Amino acid sequence: MITTSNFPPLYKPLDELEICSNKLIGGGNLISIGDVLPILIGAGRKPKVWLQAMQNKTRESFVTIVDNSKSMHPFVDVKNKNKITEFYVKDILILRVNNRTRTRAVVDYVNLQPLGINVIGDKSKLVAGNATFSNSTFMNVGTVLNFDIF
């Protein structure tokens, strides 16, 4: 399981990650649930992506469905188009990552609802639960959004 203290060996943080008009500068993660990181995007020739989905409604266990941008589940498809990588769950787009450089990437679409997480966003804004973020900058943060497990 990928957590805030257990990163994959091939993960290297990006210098800058733009997510739905918001910038994470100097590393950092978009979201954690407890200490679990359901989405992790790292540096590379193409951004390296790891995705975890909730295995049950109690949110106590997660299953890796994408490991280093490779599908680990039959319901998950990864499609590469030039500098854009798209991730689908049962034909529903959940994440689109545009590679700008080896250390900079842009996410212009995210929908983690099929993974059991209420986070969606497009080019203009990111919505997590009842909070909306637009054109914000986060520097040297551990995690932007942390949801506790009840």
Side-chain angles (χ1 to χ4, degrees):
M1 187 162 28
I2 300 167
T3 67
T4 55
S5 60
N6 183 33
F7 292 100
L10 296 174
Y11 171 75
K12 290 185 175 93
L14 289 159
D15 291 338
E16 183 177 317
L17 176 61
E18 183 177 321
I19 299 180
C20 303
S21 82
N22 302 282
K23 291 184 182 178
L24 277 73
I25 299 172
N29 304 297
L30 172 63
I31 183 173
S32 64
I33 300 174
D35 66 344
V36 176
L37 300 172
I39 179 172
L40 184 65
I41 302 173
R45 187 179 58 77
K46 287 190 173 185
K48 297 178 184 224
V49 176
W50 289 263
L51 295 171
Q52 299 182 101
M54 285 188 220
Q55 200 164 19
N56 58 46
K57 291 183 181 182
T58 64
R59 301 178 181 186
E60 293 174 6
S61 73
F62 289 76
V63 60
T64 300
I65 60 170
V66 172
D67 185 350
N68 193 18
S69 298
K70 293 180 182 88
S71 173
M72 302 300 288
H73 196 280
F75 291 135
V76 178
D77 287 320
V78 179
K79 297 180 181 178
N80 292 295
K81 303 173 190 175
N82 298 322
K83 292 187 170 197
I84 297 173
T85 305
E86 295 179 332
F87 300 86
Y88 293 83
V89 171
K90 293 184 178 181
D91 297 324
I92 299 170
L93 178 63
I94 61 166
L95 181 68
R96 182 172 37 239
V97 183
N98 187 330
N99 184 36
R100 297 296 168 97
T101 69
R102 286 183 177 266
T103 60
R104 183 172 181 268
V106 175
V107 172
D108 65 7
Y109 182 84
V110 63
N111 176 6
L112 300 181
Q113 291 174 329
L115 306 183
I117 303 163
N118 193 17
V119 174
I120 59 172
D122 57 25
K123 291 178 183 180
S124 65
K125 66 182 176 296
L126 178 71
V127 179
N130 293 327
T132 300
F133 300 88
S134 181
N135 298 309
S136 300
T137 300
F138 303 91
M139 295 183 71
N140 302 316
V141 297
T143 303
V144 174
L145 303 167
N146 185 327
F147 296 100
D148 288 327
I149 298 175
F150 299 168

